[in-house]
Amino acid sequence: KKATTLKTDKVILISDTKLNNKYKLNVNDLDDKKSEYNKKVKDFDIVSLYDVSIYNGKKEVEMKNNSFIIKIKLDEKKDNYDNYKIIYVTEYIDGTIEDGYIVFKTTHLSQYGVIGQNEKEEVLESSTVEPVKKNNNIGNILKISLIIGIALPLMGLIIYLVVKSHNLQNKK
C-alpha cells in the first residue's frame, strides 16, 4: 500500500492507501455556517470550517474503508489560542499542531471545523508539536441526558405495570 497526498492551499489530505490519480481534493469554506456551529461549541471560537471531499471530475467519490490524515492550515491564527480541537458535527476530535497545520486522523470525509479556546492556565509549549487537549464534557452530558431520558420513562412504566398487576391480584 502506498499513501496518496492531495493538497489545496488550506487543506492537505493523506490517504493510507493509493488513490486514483484522477481524484482531486475539494475543500469548500463554510464561513456562512460559523455562527450555527458557534452556538454548539460554547467556550470555543470557530477558527475555520470546511467541507472536505474528493471528486473524480465533477462527481463526488464516496470514500469507504480508508484512513486519512487531514491537515488544516492555521495561518496566522496559530498563536491566537491556547487550545485547538477539530469539530465534526458535534463531536470533538483530538489533533496536534505541526508546522502551522492542525493535524488529525479520520476514516471519512465530511464537514470539519477548527475551534480554538483560550485557557486561564499556562500551556506548556513544545518546539514543533503541541498536543491538543481533550474535552469530552459535552459528549458525556449528552450521553447522561440520553440515558436519563430513556431510564425514567421505563421505570415509570414498570412501576405502573407492577401497581396495575397488584390491583388486579387484589380484586380476585
Side-chain angles (χ1 to χ4, degrees):
K1 290 182 177 182
K2 186 177 179 186
T4 299
T5 300
L6 302 174
K7 295 181 182 182
T8 68
D9 59 336
K10 296 287 182 187
V11 176
I12 298 173
L13 178 137
I14 303 166
S15 172
D16 282 353
T17 59
K18 183 165 176 45
L19 299 178
N20 186 320
N21 62 0
K22 294 180 183 178
Y23 288 177
K24 300 290 182 218
L25 181 61
N26 186 51
V27 176
N28 290 318
D29 195 322
L30 301 175
D31 273 342
D32 57 326
K33 292 191 176 190
K34 281 184 182 178
S35 62
E36 176 187 328
Y37 275 85
N38 261 332
K39 294 174 190 170
K40 297 177 184 180
V41 290
K42 292 178 175 45
D43 300 327
F44 283 87
D45 296 325
I46 300 290
V47 175
S48 55
L49 189 60
Y50 299 107
D51 185 7
V52 180
S53 54
I54 293 178
Y55 274 74
N56 185 3
K58 293 184 179 184
K59 184 177 180 189
E60 185 172 354
V61 178
E62 188 174 331
M63 303 305 295
K64 291 185 177 180
N65 303 321
N66 282 34
S67 181
F68 304 101
I69 293 173
I70 296 178
K71 298 180 175 189
I72 298 177
K73 185 89 171 141
L74 289 174
D75 296 327
E76 74 287 342
K77 301 167 185 158
K78 180 180 178 292
D79 297 324
N80 289 357
Y81 298 96
D82 299 325
N83 186 8
Y84 286 94
K85 289 192 170 300
I86 300 297
I87 185 169
Y88 161 68
V89 186
T90 56
E91 174 187 336
Y92 293 115
I93 300 172
D94 289 329
T96 56
I97 307 293
E98 298 176 7
D99 301 321
Y101 288 86
I102 185 162
V103 181
F104 62 102
K105 195 166 191 170
T106 184
T107 58
H108 59 285
L109 303 180
S110 186
Q111 294 179 0
Y112 293 100
V114 176
I115 56 176
Q117 177 187 44
N118 283 317
E119 299 178 317
K120 292 174 178 60
E121 59 201 25
E122 199 171 302
V123 176
L124 297 176
E125 291 192 26
S126 170
S127 58
T128 56
V129 177
E130 300 170 35
V132 177
K133 294 185 177 182
K134 188 173 183 177
N135 180 354
N136 284 330
N137 289 342
I138 292 175
N140 290 338
I141 291 169
L142 290 174
K143 288 174 190 173
I144 291 168
S145 299
L146 183 62
I147 290 169
I148 291 172
I150 292 171
L152 286 178
L154 280 176
M155 286 181 2
L157 178 62
I158 291 168
I159 292 169
Y160 170 79
L161 291 173
V162 168
V163 170
K164 186 83 168 166
S165 172
H166 181 72
N167 287 343
L168 287 173
Q169 292 285 335
N170 286 341
K171 286 183 179 180
K172 289 183 178 181

